[in-house]
Structures are given as structure tokens and as C-alpha cells.
Amino acid sequence: MTSAAPSRPRPRGSLIVFVVLVAMWAAWALWFTLAPSTNPGGQCEGLGFGCTLTPNDLAAFAGIIILAPGTFLLVALTLAVRATRIGRGSPRTVWDVVLAVLLLAAGALFVIGNLVGSF
């Protein structure tokens, strides 16, 4: 009788992180797209002096201030964990490279968008 070789559980952490990030960005995009660009009741728009942001501006503000930096930190942590696992001989190096390229491209687009928007 032969015994089967013990199987190691495959790490799925970076895949879970990627799915969560896609879901969060999709929910934000839906919020940003469907939010009205005017305040109800003719309330003034903007910040300060009793005015409030429009729902669309609030969605954009939340994406820039909360979602984008949170994504960057989560991606940096995930890539650090994956780099450690690659160093230990993890077989999932193709997924790591694909994830790194996608996330670095997203980060570059975010930085480029901020630089272009500031001029």
C-alpha cells in the first residue's frame, strides 16, 4: 500500500486581496457613477460656510483620500508577503509577477493622474 504524498495548502491570500480590491473599486465606481452632482433642496455646494459636498464630490473625495491610499498600503503589504514566499520557494511566482505588474501599473496611473491634475 502506498501513501499519498502530503499536500501543502496553496496560498490564496493574494488572490483574496485582489478580489476584495476589485470589489471595493467596483462599488466605489458604482457610487461615483450613480451619485447626483447637485445637492438636494438647492443647498450650496462646496466646503465651508455651511455648504456641503455634492454626493458625487463626496464619492470622488472618498476615492482619493481613503480608497486609493488604502489600496496602495494593502498592495505593498501583499507584495512584501509574496516576496517573502518567493524567497522560500513558493511555486506561485507567475501569479506574483502578474499581480505586481497590475498593481504597479495602477499605482503609476494614480500618480500620473495626480500630477496631470495639478497643472
Side-chain angles (χ1 to χ4, degrees), residues 24-66:
M24 286 174 38
W25 278 99
W28 176 83
L30 185 65
W31 177 27
F32 183 75
T33 304
L34 296 179
S37 59
T38 58
N39 282 331
Q43 186 178 11
C44 66
E45 301 169 359
L47 288 177
F49 304 110
C51 298
T52 61
L53 291 173
T54 65
N56 190 291
D57 289 341
L58 181 62
F61 191 70
I64 291 170
I65 300 298
I66 298 169

Side-chain angles (χ1 to χ4, degrees), residues 8-103:
R8 288 180 23 186
R10 293 177 47 172
R12 292 187 176 94
S14 50
L15 179 61
I16 292 169
V17 168
F18 184 69
V19 169
V20 167
L21 285 176
V22 167
M24 286 174 38
W25 278 99
W28 176 83
L30 185 65
W31 177 27
F32 183 75
T33 304
L34 296 179
S37 59
T38 58
N39 282 331
Q43 186 178 11
C44 66
E45 301 169 359
L47 288 177
F49 304 110
C51 298
T52 61
L53 291 173
T54 65
N56 190 291
D57 289 341
L58 181 62
F61 191 70
I64 291 170
I65 300 298
I66 298 169
L67 192 58
T71 299
F72 176 77
L73 291 175
L74 193 59
V75 167
L77 179 64
T78 301
L79 289 178
V81 169
R82 296 308 300 159
T84 303
R85 288 193 176 168
I86 289 172
R88 293 182 183 169
S90 176
R92 295 184 50 159
T93 56
V94 173
W95 168 249
D96 297 329
V97 170
V98 168
L99 180 66
V101 167
L102 286 175
L103 295 174

